[in-house]
Amino acid sequence: MGSSFLVTTAIPDPGLQLLSDAGTVTVLPSPPDYETLAALCASGEYDVVLTQLRDVVDAPLLGSARVKGVSNFAVGYNNIDVDAATRHGILVGNTPGVLTDATADIAMLLILGTARRVVEADRLVRDGEFHGWEPELLLGRDVSGAVLGLAGFGRIARATARRALGFGMEILFAPRPPGHRLVSDEELGEFAGKVRQVFWDELVERSDFLSLHVPLNEQTRHLVDRAVLERMKPDAILINTARGPVVDEAALVEALRDRVIAGAGLDVFEDEPRLAPGLAELPNTVLLPHVGSATVPVRSEMARLSALNAVAIAEGRTPPHAVNTLTGT
Ligand SMILES: O=CC(=O)O
């Protein structure tokens, strides 16, 4: 008998095909609420559940779950309590690598879009307010020569650095702030001599654009709070393509309103899909609906990887990308 898969939200080709080649697939008609997902996972009917970022897979759910694995359709897995999964002998898969460039493109787009006021400019044209070339219409700021500060220096931060170097930016980074292991010159590889490693405080104070590339965990939740925003340059712009809760969004709205910093480019929000009150009304922001990985080829690769992870876990093989290992189970 083949394996049995629960898919909380339909995924693109070839994901569902790979799953159905390996067994029975149940795709839920709409995203499940927490109780529904917990009950389905506890039913014993499924070998692996294929989840989305909005599916909360916490310790109580995992405690009652009768599944071999959870395959997340994302590189981030802050929606899953991985320690609890490990304790209960449940493997967790994710989809790293395939979305690195697409997400770095969105970081660069937000840098350019905030610098050159693209949302305001687009609105002006659509509103019929473009009356011809003017010397002082919608003046923005230069990206070339500006300091880009990268919080974190993993795959997506490096891909962003690669792009930003092409735009003539000066690049600083702080590895996984606050206060994490420094990156050796050897590990810098292609970036040796091109980017400079600094401590978190210097990164905050020197960046013209501060771009966040850290995973969400207890160390990084509200990493950017009012105190950090106040230490940024008054003309600095905050870019977030990582996870919303890394920023205290209410404090950000206040800081943008009070001109403590100049702008923000956000692809992620603290309580998606809700926005902090006031955020949508601020002109000095570019707001995207969490589309870092949203290209046709990337979503298809994510579907392939998450399905391969699910099938491998169901069949008792090592998945291509697991974020935990089970020893002694
Ligand atoms: O945010 C998207 C992801 O983690 O893949």
Side-chain angles (χ1 to χ4, degrees):
M1 215 184 74
S3 306
S4 177
F5 303 98
L6 174 68
V7 178
T8 64
T9 303
I11 56 171
D13 288 335
L16 294 178
Q17 189 58 51
L18 286 167
L19 294 175
S20 43
D21 288 348
T24 319
V25 186
T26 303
V27 182
L28 298 180
S30 57
D33 59 25
Y34 177 79
E35 283 72 28
T36 306
L37 182 61
L40 288 166
C41 288
S43 69
E45 283 175 40
Y46 306 103
D47 293 304
V48 177
V49 55
L50 201 144
T51 50
Q52 300 292 326
L53 285 173
R54 65 170 162 243
D55 298 321
V56 175
V57 183
D58 62 6
L61 185 150
L62 289 159
S64 63
R66 289 161 63 208
V67 295
K68 294 181 193 162
V70 179
S71 173
N72 216 33
F73 183 80
V75 62
Y77 44 83
N78 52 286
N79 56 315
I80 302 171
D81 186 333
V82 177
D83 289 341
T86 309
R87 279 200 306 278
H88 293 293
I90 295 173
L91 275 169
V92 178
N94 73 336
T95 65
V98 296
L99 47 72
T100 303
D101 284 325
T103 307
D105 286 346
I106 288 289
M108 203 62 223
L109 177 150
L110 288 172
I111 292 167
L112 292 167
T114 48
R116 301 303 297 273
R117 304 173 61 181
V118 71
V119 172
E120 291 168 84
D122 179 272
R123 185 168 307 136
L124 177 136
V125 174
R126 289 176 202 275
D127 288 351
E129 295 297 326
F130 177 41
H131 306 302
W133 192 89
E134 287 175 39
E136 295 193 82
L137 178 63
L138 282 169
L139 302 189
R141 55 192 299 178
D142 286 325
V143 160
S144 60
V147 174
L148 171 61
L150 300 167
F153 205 56
R155 283 179 295 255
I156 298 171
R158 286 170 197 244
T160 305
R162 227 170 265 127
R163 284 154 177 73
L165 285 169
F167 279 88
M169 299 185 87
E170 185 190 332
I171 297 174
L172 305 178
F173 75 92
R176 288 213 175 174
H180 280 262
R181 192 180 67 86
L182 296 183
V183 175
S184 70
D185 278 354
E186 207 178 358
E187 284 169 289
L188 278 183
E190 66 179 290
F191 296 104
K194 296 185 181 161
V195 303
R196 204 159 67 75
Q197 176 166 211
V198 296
F199 288 113
W200 172 239
D201 289 347
E202 185 177 347
L203 191 83
V204 167
E205 283 158 19
R206 287 213 40 218
S207 296
D208 295 311
F209 295 85
L210 178 62
S211 188
L212 306 177
H213 301 280
V214 290
L216 172 63
N217 53 42
E218 284 323 304
Q219 284 80 51
T220 60
R221 187 175 296 278
H222 283 195
L223 177 66
V224 177
D225 57 8
R226 176 78 191 189
V228 165
L229 291 161
E230 273 172 3
R231 291 206 334 263
M232 290 171 71
K233 293 180 181 175
D235 60 355
I237 290 176
L238 181 72
I239 304 294
N240 192 3
T241 54
R243 283 292 181 267
V246 174
V247 177
D248 178 343
E249 203 170 291
L252 174 64
V253 170
E254 244 178 64
L256 290 167
R257 229 185 241 146
D258 301 349
R259 289 274 160 186
V260 169
I261 65 167
L266 308 175
D267 184 41
V268 288
F269 302 92
E270 193 167 351
D271 186 23
E272 293 175 13
R274 277 172 287 278
L275 303 188
L279 183 59
E281 285 78 58
L282 293 168
N284 47 340
T285 55
V286 176
L287 309 177
L288 301 179
H290 203 147
V291 287
S293 64
T295 72
V296 173
V298 168
R299 286 287 161 86
S300 153
E301 272 304 284
M302 289 168 69
R304 195 177 64 82
L305 258 191
S306 57
L308 290 179
N309 282 336
V311 172
I313 295 170
E315 294 176 355
R317 292 181 283 107
T318 307
H321 289 288
V323 298
N324 62 348
T325 46
L326 307 178
T327 45
T329 52

